[in-house]
Amino acid sequence: MEAKVANDWRLRGQRYRLEGEVCGHCGVAIFPPRDICPECGKPAKTPAPLSGRGEVYTFSTVYNAPEGFEPYTPYTVALVKLEEGPVVTAQLTDVAPKDVQIGMPVEMVTRRLRTHGEEGTIVYGYKFRPRVRV
Amino acid sequence: MGEGRLMKSQRAVGIVGHGAYVPMYRLPGAEIARVWSGAGRGPVREKAVAGLDEDTITIAIEAARNAVARAGLAPEQLRAIWVGSESHPYAVKPSSTLVAEALGAAPYLLAADFEFACKAGTEALQAAMGLVGSGMGDYALAIGADTAQGRPGDELEYTASSGGSAFIIGPADHAVAICRGSLSYVTDTPDFWRRAYQHYPSHGGRFTGEPAYFHHSESAGGALLDELSMTAKDFTYAIFHQPNVKFPGRAAERLGFTAAQIEPGLLSNLIGNTYAGASLTGFSAVLDIAQPGDRIMLVSFGSGAGSDAFAWEITDRISSHRDMAPLTTDYIKRRVEIDYALYARYRGKLRD
Ligand SMILES: [Zn+2]
């Protein structure tokens, strides 16, 4: 439990508010943060929030969920291409699996991801949903 | 005539940004009636139901993001985030710190959770006005949000719903709505309660009407009118706590307000009773349509019991702010009807 709590805590910036990095050398947006620019290979440690707007690049529906995510089935996991460039893997929410389409405009929301049992912490993080105002 | 009951900060303050959030699922009253009595409709047409991954914290975050977007502030400018709710996800661990992190407002600010049944959000709003009005900080965020639960089959199940709204208080010269004064009226009245470790609340039945809702709402609202030497006619709109459709209508009428004055802020028929979010989400809907010069009266009610009453005046800044975030009606229109079985799953009513 302690290791899970510490890991969740370390990821709170990226999970709660989609905080990435921007490369000071070539200007590319980076998510998730990795401190090295994937484009030019130089150090990139400047935190930068992403807009949270993007579109569904590809998706698949999960019926047999991994441990901890069973209460939410069926749900859709998508690769979301953000306006700033990075592609994020995330759950979609507020949409029935049959209504998901490639190219669908989506926006980031912060939702419950899972709980660590009845007595453990509640883990919150980003998901994407169809935009409320396009 | 004034009797010194009015609360007004030395530095004039107002709302610099507002935002609402209502989950998309709707459970009709007729569907609840079908399950528990075989016929009928209940006191509201339908209520908003939070999805599986939603709770008071996620509702507060989205409403707050909308308020920040409208205020045009950097989140680090907030000196307080106060979340009022009777359904904080943790018994011990603040909702407000998580909201602060999600907004990017942490770490240099006050953060706390407020509790006072359905008036926890307006209590936070009063406190935010005090903080900014004293000059301790320039901006403070007050939120009222709930995922209210009624015991299956109880009359509260028809109305207990999910949603919330957020308001950033700042100096009056940046405000879209300036506060002309507020006051509070509280007594120890046991109309509704939930003991520790109990999942569902209990209530005093008929005791919830005259001695609780009406007495406190009308006392606070009436005293505010009196202190400001104003009458209902001086206001464009009025918003009351809305546990159903009838109560706010009757309280408004007794204070001299017309049906037209309360209609835009009366959402209970569409979303149910969002508890700490109820009067505030009605207020948010009114701010979405208000024009410069409009005057708005807001009266909350929380069981236990008490009411906060506020008088607001809309400024010229309102029109440029409105489109910076989704409107309250954008969320209300985003409607997916569910049946009682799906509702039971979404709200954790199915247990081994
Ligand atoms: Zn680079």
Side-chain angles (χ1 to χ4, degrees):
Chain A
M1 177 53 68
E2 204 180 310
K4 284 175 183 162
V5 168
N7 188 52
D8 291 332
W9 173 75
R10 216 172 34 246
L11 297 175
R12 68 195 188 284
Q14 56 171 279
R15 276 204 186 140
Y16 292 174
R17 56 179 186 268
L18 211 67
E19 186 170 277
E21 289 165 335
V22 62
C23 175
H25 304 279
C26 71
V28 79
I30 305 164
F31 191 89
R34 64 197 76 161
D35 298 348
I36 299 283
C37 175
E39 290 295 316
C40 70
K42 292 186 177 145
K45 292 189 178 177
T46 313
L50 293 152
S51 68
R53 284 186 301 275
E55 56 182 55
V56 173
Y57 184 69
T58 181
F59 65 93
S60 79
T61 302
V62 176
Y63 295 94
N64 295 301
E67 191 252 315
F69 297 89
E70 303 96 330
Y72 307 104
T73 58
Y75 58 84
T76 304
V77 172
L79 293 183
V80 173
K81 186 158 172 51
L82 300 173
E83 278 181 359
E84 295 87 350
V87 174
V88 188
T89 306
Q91 254 191 58
L92 301 184
T93 189
D94 290 1
V95 62
K98 67 175 171 59
D99 295 330
V100 180
Q101 289 174 345
I102 287 170
M104 173 187 265
V106 291
E107 62 192 352
M108 187 273 281
V109 290
T110 308
R111 295 288 174 92
R112 288 166 81 116
L113 298 182
R114 61 169 299 174
T115 60
H116 292 304
E118 284 278 300
E119 296 185 4
T121 50
I122 306 164
V123 183
Y124 295 85
Y126 55 81
K127 294 187 182 182
F128 288 81
R129 65 143 187 241
R131 287 183 206 167
V132 169
R133 284 197 124 182
V134 181
Chain B
M1 263 328 277
E3 292 176 31
R5 300 165 296 184
L6 189 73
M7 296 192 286
K8 200 163 182 219
S9 55
Q10 291 191 334
R11 175 201 204 187
V13 299
I15 289 162
V16 300
H18 74 281
Y21 177 72
V22 180
M24 68 191 285
Y25 302 105
R26 299 286 179 278
L27 180 65
E31 172 67 0
I32 301 174
R34 180 184 69 82
V35 171
W36 292 108
S37 61
R41 311 158 57 103
V44 299
R45 192 190 311 153
E46 56 190 17
K47 68 172 189 172
V49 179
L52 279 168
D53 58 2
E54 298 188 280
D55 62 20
T56 289
I57 288 178
T58 68
I59 289 168
I61 289 170
E62 181 150 355
R65 283 191 176 129
N66 290 335
V68 170
R70 286 209 173 90
L73 293 178
E76 311 88 60
Q77 290 176 272
L78 295 170
R79 284 297 152 269
I81 295 182
W82 289 321
V83 183
S85 181
E86 59 117 64
S87 50
H88 292 288
Y90 287 94
V92 178
K93 184 183 180 301
S95 301
S96 49
T97 50
L98 213 152
V99 174
E101 287 273 11
L103 295 182
Y108 293 105
L109 77 167
L110 288 161
D113 294 355
F114 279 55
E115 289 190 26
F116 194 147
C118 299
K119 98 166 182 84
T122 54
E123 188 85 32
L125 194 60
Q126 297 271 31
M129 286 165 38
L131 187 96
V132 177
S134 73
M136 273 181 75
D138 280 338
Y139 299 101
L141 170 60
I143 305 169
D146 259 307
T147 53
Q149 294 270 39
R151 192 185 306 277
D154 187 88
E155 62 181 284
L156 284 182
E157 191 179 31
Y158 285 95
T159 52
S161 72
S162 301
S165 287
F167 300 84
I168 298 173
I169 295 292
D173 53 353
H174 297 181
V176 297
I178 295 172
C179 187
R180 293 303 181 197
S182 71
L183 61 75
S184 285
Y185 185 94
V186 302
T187 71
D188 180 30
T189 302
D191 57 319
F192 171 96
W193 60 90
R194 181 166 62 83
R195 296 275 301 277
Y197 308 110
Q198 294 300 305
H199 192 54
Y200 295 112
S202 303
H203 54 85
R206 289 180 183 278
F207 204 56
T208 58
E210 285 303 333
Y213 179 88
F214 293 106
H215 176 69
H216 293 81
S217 300
E218 290 164 29
S219 297
L224 183 62
L225 290 174
D226 198 30
E227 290 282 349
L228 294 171
S229 301
M230 294 169 88
T231 70
K233 291 191 176 62
D234 295 314
F235 290 86
T236 324
Y237 303 107
I239 304 101
F240 290 83
H241 178 53
Q242 31 208 270
N244 51 39
V245 182
K246 265 188 211 153
F247 277 25
R250 197 179 305 158
E253 195 183 343
R254 288 179 183 173
L255 287 171
F257 291 96
T258 64
Q261 283 170 297
I262 64 163
E263 191 270 331
L266 184 49
L267 307 177
S268 49
N269 217 24
L270 304 172
I271 65 172
N273 177 7
T274 59
Y275 283 50
S279 57
L280 289 178
T281 304
F283 184 34
S284 172
V286 167
L287 289 176
D288 286 346
I289 58 160
Q291 297 298 322
D294 284 353
R295 293 199 190 110
I296 300 170
M297 180 140 166
L298 167 66
V299 183
S300 68
F301 169 73
S303 292
S307 283
D308 295 314
F310 306 80
W312 306 93
E313 195 168 307
I314 302 296
T315 74
D316 295 339
R317 302 173 71 90
I318 191 88
S319 29
S320 56
H321 279 227
R322 202 165 275 147
D323 289 325
M324 305 303 286
L327 301 173
T328 313
T329 50
D330 290 331
Y331 289 111
I332 293 174
K333 283 186 210 144
R334 198 181 64 122
R335 171 189 180 279
V336 172
E337 189 174 321
I338 57 173
D339 63 9
Y340 196 90
L342 212 47
Y343 161 71
R345 182 183 173 198
Y346 285 176
R347 299 312 301 141
K349 293 174 191 296
L350 303 172
R351 300 224 147 203
D352 294 335

